[in-house]
Amino acid sequence: MKTILSIDPLKNELKKLREQNRSIGFVPTMGFLHEGHLSLVRESKKENDRTVVSIFVNPAQFAPHEDFDSYPRDMKKDSEMLEEMGVDILFCPAAAEIYPGGYATYVEVEKLGNVLCGKSRENHFRGVTTVVLKLFNIVGPTRAYFGRKDAQQAIIIKKMVTDLNLDVVIRTAPIARDVDGLALSSRNVYLSAEERKAALQMPAALQRAKAKIDEGFRDALAVKKMIREELKKNPSIEIDYVEVASLDRLEDAVVINPGNTLVAAAIRVGKTRLIDNFILGEI
Ligand code: PAF
C-alpha cells in the first residue's frame, strides 16, 4: 500500500492507472475505521482493479460547537488495517491543502440537505458534498462507496453526482452492526457502558417499527410515534428527530411506500450524537 499525503503525487499515480485502463474504487473516510468501512473496502476490491481509501477529518462538515477536535483518530491502526486488506493507495491530505487560505468555494444540494440531520447540523451536508466533490476531482474514481447508516449523506451525494454529471458510480453498503445491534460508528467510542445500553434502545425501536411495517402497517405518523415512545422510555436519550420520509426526495411520508421509504432517527446520549435507520427500497 502506498500512503500519499498530498494531491499532486496522488494525481500522478492515478493518471498512470487510468492510462492503463484500470478501474479505480474509492472509499472516502474520516478514519478510526470499523467493520462498516472495511465492508466498503471489500466491495471496492471486488469490483475494481485498484482501491483508494482517503482518511480526512473534514473540518467543513463540523459546526464550531461539534466534535472536530475530539473526533477519534488512530492513523497507525487504520493504516495497518488497510494494508492488511490489500488497499492500493491510502490518501491522507492535510487540511491546509484541501482548504488553503482564502478557500471560498462550496457545493450544496438544495432541500435534501436541510431536512433530517441537516435541521440540527447547519452546513454539515454542504461540508460533506464540498469535500466529496473535491476528492472525486482529485481521485477520479470509477466507483465510490458509502455506508447506508448515513443514508441521507448517500442520497445527497447521488443527487450531486446526477446534477453535476459526474462520471462516477455511487455504491452503497448495508449498515454494519455490533453483536448487540448498535450500528457501528467511530463515535461509539465516546459511549460509557451505561450510555451504550441506552443507545441500544434506538436499533430496538427501529427493529420493532420495521416488523410492524413488514406486517403491512402503513401509517407513517403512527410509526414515528411508536419509535418516539420507545425511545422516551429511557430518560438518558434526547431525541433529535424521528422521521419517515420518501427515499428519493426525503419528504415527510404520510402513507408508507414499501419501495421508497427511509425511517431514520437521531438521538443524543450524553455528549454523543448517534444515527440509525432502515430503508425500504433502494439507494
Ligand atoms: O461519511 C464520512 O465519513 C464523511 O462524511 C465523508 C463521506 C468521508 C466525507 O468527509
Side-chain angles (χ1 to χ4, degrees):
M1 182 175 80
K2 280 190 183 161
T3 300
I4 300 182
L5 304 178
S6 42
I7 296 170
D8 285 343
L10 178 71
K11 277 189 167 173
N12 290 338
E13 200 63 41
L14 292 167
K15 191 164 162 245
K16 280 188 251 160
L17 292 179
R18 269 191 298 276
E19 281 164 4
Q20 296 160 5
N21 273 330
R22 306 271 189 220
S23 58
I24 299 166
F26 177 45
V27 184
T29 81
M30 298 207 300
F32 211 70
L33 304 176
H34 52 66
E35 177 51 34
H37 300 108
L38 303 188
S39 71
L40 303 177
V41 171
R42 245 175 255 124
E43 258 331 277
S44 171
K45 283 187 59 69
K46 242 191 269 166
E47 295 186 326
N48 301 281
D49 298 320
R50 297 287 185 272
T51 289
V52 179
V53 175
S54 65
I55 296 182
F56 179 64
V57 185
N58 173 31
Q61 67 188 76
F62 291 82
H65 63 276
E66 289 183 345
D67 58 343
F68 174 74
D69 288 332
S70 58
Y71 194 83
R73 293 159 169 91
D74 191 340
M75 196 55 91
K76 186 168 176 286
K77 188 162 166 232
D78 288 349
S79 172
E80 283 165 8
M81 281 161 116
L82 296 172
E83 173 104 56
E84 198 169 305
M85 292 195 76
V87 164
D88 300 282
I89 298 175
L90 169 60
F91 177 49
C92 309
E97 206 186 0
I98 298 293
Y99 302 113
Y103 186 86
T105 306
Y106 293 87
V107 56
E108 189 159 6
V109 175
E110 291 180 350
K111 291 190 184 140
L112 295 178
N114 300 331
V115 294
L116 303 165
C117 288
K119 267 193 193 163
S120 60
R121 302 193 72 191
E122 208 192 336
N123 286 333
H124 168 69
F125 289 110
R126 179 181 94 140
V128 170
T129 42
T130 299
V131 82
V132 169
L133 180 59
K134 281 175 72 81
L135 290 168
F136 284 176
N137 284 335
I138 294 164
V139 175
T142 318
R143 299 178 188 85
Y145 297 81
F146 296 86
R148 285 185 220 133
K149 181 170 74 68
D150 297 294
Q152 183 177 13
Q153 168 173 282
I155 290 165
I156 288 173
I157 287 167
K158 278 198 145 187
K159 180 73 175 144
M160 172 179 78
V161 164
T162 306
D163 285 357
L164 298 182
N165 311 98
L166 303 183
D167 234 349
V168 53
V169 174
I170 302 300
R171 294 266 200 255
T172 66
I175 299 177
R177 294 184 184 278
D178 248 323
V179 278
D180 58 7
L182 192 66
L184 293 182
S185 161
S186 306
R187 289 187 169 100
N188 289 353
V189 71
Y190 299 147
L191 297 169
S192 68
E194 254 332 280
E195 289 171 339
R196 188 177 173 103
K197 224 164 113 192
L200 285 174
Q201 199 83 10
M202 180 157 62
L206 288 170
Q207 212 177 3
R208 257 176 238 133
K210 169 89 169 48
K212 215 56 191 136
I213 296 169
D214 288 347
E215 283 165 17
F217 198 75
R218 293 288 175 265
D219 182 340
L221 282 179
V223 165
K224 275 203 270 192
K225 191 160 172 255
M226 186 181 142
I227 297 170
R228 279 186 161 274
E229 270 160 19
E230 287 288 330
L231 294 173
K232 277 195 211 143
K233 282 183 191 162
N234 193 313
S236 6
I237 293 180
E238 187 196 321
I239 301 175
D240 179 353
Y241 67 78
V242 175
E243 296 289 357
V244 179
S246 60
L247 257 188
D248 50 354
R249 292 164 175 258
L250 295 181
E251 285 172 351
D252 270 357
V254 179
V255 177
I256 293 171
N257 172 347
N260 180 32
T261 299
L262 169 67
V263 181
I267 58 172
R268 270 198 187 76
V269 184
K271 65 178 170 80
T272 313
R273 186 175 184 279
L274 299 166
I275 56 173
D276 201 348
N277 70 68
F278 62 88
I279 290 169
L280 306 168
E282 296 287 319
I283 55 169

